[in-house]
Amino acid sequence: MTAGFVSAFRSLKWIDYVYYILIEPRRFARMIIVEDARPLWGGGLIAAAVTVCDVIAAGMLGVESPFFYYKLTYGAILFFIVLIVKIVVLAGLVDLLCQFIGYQGKVKEFVVIISYALFPQIFLLPVVSVFKVFHFAAPFFYVFFSIVFFVWTALIVIQGISELHAMEFFRAVLVFLFPYAFLGILSFLSFVLVVILSFGYVSFL
Amino acid sequence: MDKNRKILISILALLVLSAVLAVIDISMRMRSVQRERFSLAVPGVGPGVGVVRINGPIEMAGSEGGFAISSGGSEAIIQRIAALEADSRIKAVVVRINSPGGTVAATQEIYQKLMRLRQRNVVLVASLGDIAASGGYYIASACNYIVTNQGTLTGSIGVIAVSPNLQGLFQKLGIKMNVIKSGAYKDILSSYRDLTPEERELIQVLIDSSYNQFLKDVALGRNLGIDDIRPYADGRVMSGDMAVKYRLADEIGSFEVALEKARKKAKLPEDAPVYDEQRSPLDQFLMTLEGAVLNRSGLQNRVMRYRGGYMIEYRYQP
C-alpha cells in the first residue's frame, strides 16, 4: 500500500487532478469516471489541508493564547472528521436525489469531486495573510473570501455533477442545492422541536 | 516536467510556506501577549486572600435544580475551605456569609473546618451580608474578625425545631394513621398527633444540648465567656451596630473592608490578589436560567421551604 502511495505520488498524477479541478472541472470528472474514483486518498489530503489552513487563517484574525496549538492539532483532527462526515453526507444526499430522478448511483465519484472541489478554500490562508500583513480589514476579507471560495467550490461540484450524469447545468444547480435545502428544513424543524420541548420542560419545573 | 505542473507545484510550495509563516506569526504574537500578561499578572499569582461564600440555608446536601446544577451544601463549602487550606498561597480567608442558618450538623461541620484553618494560623475574617443569623452567625464566630454591615440581620443565637400539628385537620378529614413502632418515641414530632409532655421534654433536652454547644463555640471563637453572650443569646435578631455593641462583631463595614482587614491582619500587601470561587460560564448560564424560571413560577420559596420532616436547626425562622 505504501509503495503504491509513493509511486502514485512520484507519478505527479495528483498535480494533474488539482490542476484540472481548478481549471477544467468537467475534464476532472471525466478522468475519475475513467479511473473509477482512484484519487480518493488525494481528496482526503485536500480535506485535511483545508482544515489546517482554515484553523490557521482563523487564528490570524485575533491574538491567540497557547490553546491555539490544541486547536491546530486536536481541533484540526476533530474538524477534519466533521468535514469528512459533511462530504459524505453531501455526496450521499446528492446521489440520493440523482437516483430519485432516474440517474445512476455514483456516490463514490461524488465524494471524490466534492473533496477535491474544496481545494480553492486553501487559498483563504494566503489571502487573509496578505490583508493581515497590511492591517487592512482582515476579518471582513476572511468572511468575504470564505464566501467567494465557497462559491468557487460550489461551481466545481455543480460542473462535476453535470458532467457525471450528462445533466443540464441548471438542473445540476438544483441537485447541488437540494442537500442544503433538505438539511436547512430539517434543522429548522429540529429547532422548533427543541424550542417546544424546552418550553415544555421549563413549564414542568 | 510539464509547465503547468511546475506552476502548480510552486503554488503549493507557496501555500505551505504561507501556512508555516502564519503559524510563526501567531506564535510570536502569542509570546508577546504572554509577556504582557505575565508582567500584569505578577500580583495575581502570589500570596493572597481566599474567599468562601456561604449563601442560603445551610444543609449537608445543596439544593439541586432542574438543570442539575447543585448549589451550596455544607460539603461543597467544606471542599472549598479544604482547597484553600491546601493552597500555599492563601494567607487569609474572607468568609462571606449570607445565610439564615441551617441544620445543626452541617453548621457545626463548617465551624469545625474553619476552626481548623484558624489553628493553622490562617487569618479568617467574616463578612456578613444581608443576613447572617443563627447558624450563619455560628459560622462567622469561627473567624478571627467579624465585619458586618450596619443593616445586616444577625444574632438569633438559638436552636429551633418546628413540626406542624395537623391532628385537627386529620380528624376533620377522617384520616387515621396506622403506626407500628418499636418504641414509644419512634414517631416523635409526627404531624398527625400532638406532642406528649415526655416527648416535649425529650426534644427540649436535644434543643438545650445543641444550644449549649452553640454558646460554647461562639464563646470560643469570640474569646468571650459564655456568660458574656448568654444575655443576648435568647434568639433575638439584631442589626450590625447592635452586634458590634454586644461584642458579637468587631467592625461595621462592607466586603471590601473585610478584604482589606484580611490583608492587613495577614501582613499582605494592599494589592494582594483575591482568589474568589470560580464557576464555569456554562454553570453560570444554567444557574441564571434556573433562577429566572424558579422566580417567575414562584417555585423558589416552595422548593426552599418544603421539608419531608422536622429538623432541629440553628436557623432564624420568622
Side-chain angles (χ1 to χ4, degrees):
Chain A
M1 187 185 166
T2 313
F5 181 83
V6 171
S7 65
F9 184 80
R10 291 184 65 179
S11 72
L12 295 181
K13 193 92 187 247
W14 55 277
I15 291 284
D16 296 337
Y17 293 141
V18 172
Y19 176 77
Y20 289 121
I21 201 76
L22 292 175
I23 308 298
E24 285 183 76
R26 286 181 183 277
R27 186 165 172 181
F28 175 78
R30 285 199 295 275
M31 282 171 76
I32 62 163
I33 292 168
V34 172
E35 300 196 8
D36 193 22
R38 269 164 56 190
L40 190 62
W41 58 268
L45 286 179
I46 287 174
V50 167
T51 308
V52 171
C53 288
D54 204 26
V55 171
I56 297 172
M60 291 195 77
L61 299 178
V63 179
E64 286 286 335
S65 69
F67 187 67
F68 171 73
Y69 297 118
Y70 289 97
K71 285 198 260 183
L72 194 58
T73 49
Y74 299 109
I77 292 168
L78 180 68
F79 283 128
F80 171 68
I81 293 166
V82 171
L83 188 59
I84 293 295
V85 171
K86 276 164 67 180
I87 290 168
V88 171
V89 169
L90 188 61
L93 288 171
V94 166
D95 190 57
L96 184 78
L97 185 64
C98 286
Q99 289 191 50
F100 188 73
I101 57 178
Y103 292 98
Q104 198 186 346
K106 286 183 176 173
V107 69
K108 204 171 173 185
E109 285 81 358
F110 281 135
V111 169
V112 175
I113 285 181
I114 294 168
S115 53
Y116 270 78
L118 294 172
F119 189 82
Q121 296 184 19
I122 291 177
F123 295 126
L124 187 65
L125 175 60
V127 169
V128 171
S129 301
V130 169
F131 287 101
K132 182 71 186 169
V133 166
F134 291 106
H135 296 286
F136 187 69
F140 168 77
F141 285 104
Y142 173 84
V143 176
F144 178 74
F145 280 102
S146 294
I147 295 166
V148 168
F149 292 132
F150 174 76
V151 171
W152 190 352
T153 297
L155 285 173
I156 292 169
V157 176
I158 290 163
Q159 289 184 66
I161 294 167
S162 171
E163 190 64 30
L164 279 178
H165 286 304
M167 196 187 284
E168 288 170 22
F169 184 80
F170 181 69
R171 185 175 269 204
V173 171
L174 293 179
V175 169
F176 174 76
L177 290 178
F178 166 73
Y180 293 96
F182 178 76
L183 292 175
I185 292 166
L186 205 66
S187 305
F188 175 73
L189 292 176
S190 305
F191 173 73
V192 170
L193 193 66
V194 166
V195 168
I196 291 168
L197 286 174
S198 304
F199 272 100
Y201 180 67
V202 165
S203 56
F204 177 73
L205 279 174
Chain B
M1 196 189 289
D2 183 30
K3 188 185 166 189
N4 290 337
R5 284 180 169 179
K6 282 182 184 171
I7 293 169
L8 213 58
I9 288 175
S10 308
I11 291 170
L12 290 176
L14 283 173
L15 280 171
V16 172
L17 187 67
S18 71
V20 172
L21 288 174
V23 171
I24 291 170
D25 177 57
I26 291 169
S27 302
M28 282 174 70
R29 282 187 291 130
M30 191 190 301
R31 272 204 295 274
S32 64
V33 169
Q34 275 181 321
R35 256 201 305 278
E36 281 167 23
R37 278 191 190 154
F38 183 73
S39 64
L40 285 171
V42 166
V45 293
V49 182
V51 176
V52 177
R53 292 182 184 273
I54 298 167
N55 294 315
I58 301 160
E59 292 173 346
M60 281 288 175
S63 60
E64 196 163 281
F67 298 101
I69 302 294
S70 64
S71 59
S74 66
E75 287 178 0
I77 295 165
I78 287 166
Q79 274 178 12
R80 169 71 182 155
I81 298 168
L84 293 176
E85 190 180 4
D87 193 333
S88 60
R89 296 171 304 176
I90 302 301
K91 305 297 176 198
V93 171
V94 171
V95 186
R96 177 68 165 169
I97 301 167
N98 206 4
S99 169
T103 60
V104 170
T107 307
Q108 285 175 345
E109 280 200 3
I110 297 170
Y111 175 90
Q112 294 297 338
K113 190 72 185 170
L114 287 172
M115 280 306 265
R116 192 177 136 177
L117 199 60
R118 187 169 160 178
Q119 281 157 12
R120 289 185 165 213
N121 293 325
V122 174
V123 173
L124 299 181
V125 176
S127 166
L128 312 187
D130 284 333
I131 183 167
S134 201
Y137 179 74
Y138 194 142
I139 291 168
S141 70
C143 298
N144 304 82
Y145 201 82
I146 299 178
V147 178
T148 172
N149 290 289
Q150 189 278 327
T152 298
L153 211 56
T154 187
S156 186
I157 296 171
V159 189
I160 190 168
V162 180
S163 169
N165 184 355
L166 306 176
Q167 191 178 5
L169 182 67
F170 275 44
Q171 279 172 353
K172 196 174 177 184
L173 296 173
I175 300 169
K176 289 180 180 173
M177 303 296 289
N178 293 320
V179 181
I180 299 104
K181 52 188 180 180
S182 58
Y185 301 114
K186 194 61 191 162
D187 61 345
I188 195 168
L189 276 173
S190 293
S191 57
Y192 53 82
R193 65 174 178 81
D194 208 351
L195 271 178
T196 64
E198 293 80 22
E199 285 174 338
R200 189 173 290 277
E201 196 177 327
L202 198 66
I203 295 292
Q204 192 61 53
V205 170
L206 271 177
I207 298 279
D208 289 345
S209 164
S210 296
Y211 174 70
N212 288 331
Q213 188 62 42
F214 197 157
L215 280 185
K216 215 167 104 182
D217 284 343
V218 169
L220 179 70
R222 298 294 302 156
N223 290 320
L224 294 169
I226 290 177
D227 291 336
D228 296 329
I229 303 164
R230 199 182 292 276
Y232 320 110
D234 51 4
R236 73 177 74 176
V237 286
M238 56 188 83
S239 62
D241 47 2
M242 286 166 73
V244 172
K245 187 178 158 192
Y246 300 146
R247 290 192 289 166
L248 295 178
D250 297 292
E251 186 181 342
I252 299 288
S254 63
F255 181 62
E256 291 296 314
V257 172
L259 285 173
E260 283 168 20
K261 199 75 198 174
R263 287 190 183 110
K264 200 171 170 184
K265 278 187 162 286
K267 297 186 175 67
L268 289 167
E270 284 179 7
D271 60 348
V274 175
Y275 300 99
D276 205 343
E277 292 177 35
Q278 299 286 330
R279 274 195 186 273
S280 74
L282 179 66
D283 279 1
Q284 283 176 359
F285 172 72
L286 290 176
M287 286 182 76
T288 309
L289 198 61
E290 183 185 319
V293 170
L294 290 177
N295 279 332
R296 200 184 54 187
S297 58
L299 274 166
Q300 194 144 29
N301 280 340
R302 271 185 274 162
V303 170
M304 285 176 71
R305 285 176 190 276
Y306 173 75
R307 295 197 184 286
Y310 73 91
M311 286 187 189
I312 297 174
E313 295 182 308
Y314 294 138
R315 181 162 177 170
Y316 171 54
Q317 220 166 17

